[in-house]
Amino acid sequence: MQVGFVGTGAMGAEMARHVASAGFAVSAFDTDAEALRVATQDDVTAADSLAALATASDVIVVVVANDAQSRAVVTEILSCELRDSAVIAVAATNHPRTMIELGAACDAKGIGFVDAPVCYGLQGARDGDLVSLCGGTAEAVDRIRSVLMAYSRAVEHLGPVGTGQLGKACNNMMHWAACVANYETLALAKSCGIDAQTMRETLLKCPARNTTLERWDTTRFTWHQKDMDVVLDLSQQAGLALPLFGAVDQLVKRLGPDQVRALLHEPQAQYLGQPIVARSLAEITAEE
């Protein structure tokens, strides 16, 4: 089976490498010549153009940055003479509406389409330990399952086209809520005299443990604005009030890796513009 990857940034390059290591013939294309050069040094070959990649591939995995890029890439792929059994899989995180539109365009041309965003980020891509959340027909998902499993610990089929992105949105909701909860929890510990990193390591042994806290040192806080905008847009369209996540949307946008590093490892940190002043618990409880 010939697999093509469109987008060889940090995620795409690692995913393509795992697919090649699994024994598939893999080619890649990127408009960034240097990113493509780095990604195609081993078993992944460089395609001369997107059209050349598309016409030679049974499965085309799209790993680009945003909805506009996904639209542009899929539209150009559909203008090519594709193989009869070809399937396009969008592994980027996009709005479900975009996937439904692109899925309809593929269906009109008799081309399979799966939205297959991933969880566990760059480290998961490096380890080949992602989770692929898929929307599409069972036939299309099964046709590409072995490719997705090359870089995933699990491939979850959630329903029709768009539900993969909905599943990713649900994961993002829990992740960003945990980011805010973790930060506020450790801020209280630090304010009352417990070292925040010590409290974090202790909580990882308690029922309060969560995957976000476990990976706290490597959370890069990328794309949270786009992620939460998708969630809130979907909730409005569904007529569903999500007051907690309205607050999470505002709070998580004020956090980043620098704030987390300061909270865990530096004497001074802040939250919402206010300093986190470390004092002893005895001093705090003695105040009236």
Side-chain angles (χ1 to χ4, degrees):
M1 182 183 290
Q2 177 71 42
V3 181
F5 274 81
V6 183
T8 55
M11 294 286 292
E14 295 292 344
M15 292 157 69
R17 177 176 62 83
H18 284 294
V19 173
S21 296
F24 295 95
V26 179
S27 61
F29 177 76
D30 198 303
T31 56
D32 185 330
E34 177 59 19
L36 183 60
R37 184 193 68 79
V38 171
T40 56
Q41 291 182 353
D42 298 316
D43 296 330
V44 180
T45 61
D48 294 333
S49 65
L50 178 55
L53 179 146
T55 56
S57 298
D58 300 294
V59 178
I60 304 165
V61 183
V62 180
V63 197
V64 292
N66 53 48
D67 291 59
Q69 291 180 5
S70 292
R71 285 193 188 94
V73 167
V74 172
T75 299
E76 185 172 347
I77 290 172
L78 288 177
S79 71
C80 302
E81 290 294 328
L82 302 178
R83 296 182 176 181
D84 291 340
S85 60
V87 178
I88 300 171
V90 175
T93 300
N94 290 165
H95 198 292
R97 179 173 55 244
T98 303
M99 300 296 95
I100 292 171
E101 294 169 358
L102 295 179
C106 289
D107 190 55
K109 296 227 173 189
I111 300 300
F113 182 83
V114 176
D115 62 301
V118 296
C119 299
Y120 285 104
L122 181 55
Q123 191 58 51
R126 287 172 176 160
D127 296 339
D129 198 32
L130 298 168
V131 173
S132 292
L133 305 177
C134 298
T137 66
E139 178 185 5
V141 173
D142 287 343
R143 199 181 307 168
I144 67 171
R145 187 178 296 274
S146 60
V147 174
L148 303 185
M149 280 302 301
Y151 56 76
S152 305
R153 70 174 77 172
V155 173
E156 302 295 332
H157 183 201
L158 298 178
V161 168
T163 57
Q165 299 293 348
L166 176 58
K168 180 65 182 289
C170 290
N171 174 78
N172 290 341
M173 289 172 72
M174 295 297 292
H175 174 53
W176 296 124
C179 283
V180 175
N182 291 340
Y183 198 95
E184 292 192 1
T185 297
L186 296 179
L188 176 63
K190 189 181 187 79
S191 295
C192 296
I194 299 178
D195 176 75
Q197 175 65 3
T198 300
M199 189 72 254
R200 171 187 174 234
E201 292 173 356
T202 300
L203 289 173
L204 290 175
K205 303 171 186 177
C206 297
R209 174 179 180 170
N210 59 79
T211 303
T212 299
L213 186 62
E214 184 177 324
R215 295 161 50 117
W216 200 235
D217 287 332
T218 59
T219 298
R220 298 184 299 159
F221 290 83
T222 53
W223 300 115
H224 53 280
Q225 183 165 349
K226 182 184 77 169
D227 292 347
M228 289 305 302
D229 287 348
V230 168
V231 166
L232 296 179
D233 182 50
L234 287 172
S235 70
Q236 285 187 329
Q237 291 180 320
L240 179 66
L242 297 176
L244 171 62
F245 284 94
V248 169
D249 175 55
Q250 296 301 310
L251 293 169
V252 76
K253 292 172 182 177
R254 294 174 177 265
L255 297 180
D258 291 342
Q259 287 92 335
V260 171
R261 181 171 55 254
L263 179 66
L264 292 179
H265 303 298
E266 297 176 10
Q268 296 183 341
Q270 63 86 29
Y271 184 49
L272 302 179
Q274 295 182 323
I276 298 173
V277 180
R279 295 186 292 165
S280 72
L281 183 60
E283 179 184 358
I284 292 172
T285 56
E287 295 179 354
E288 295 184 0

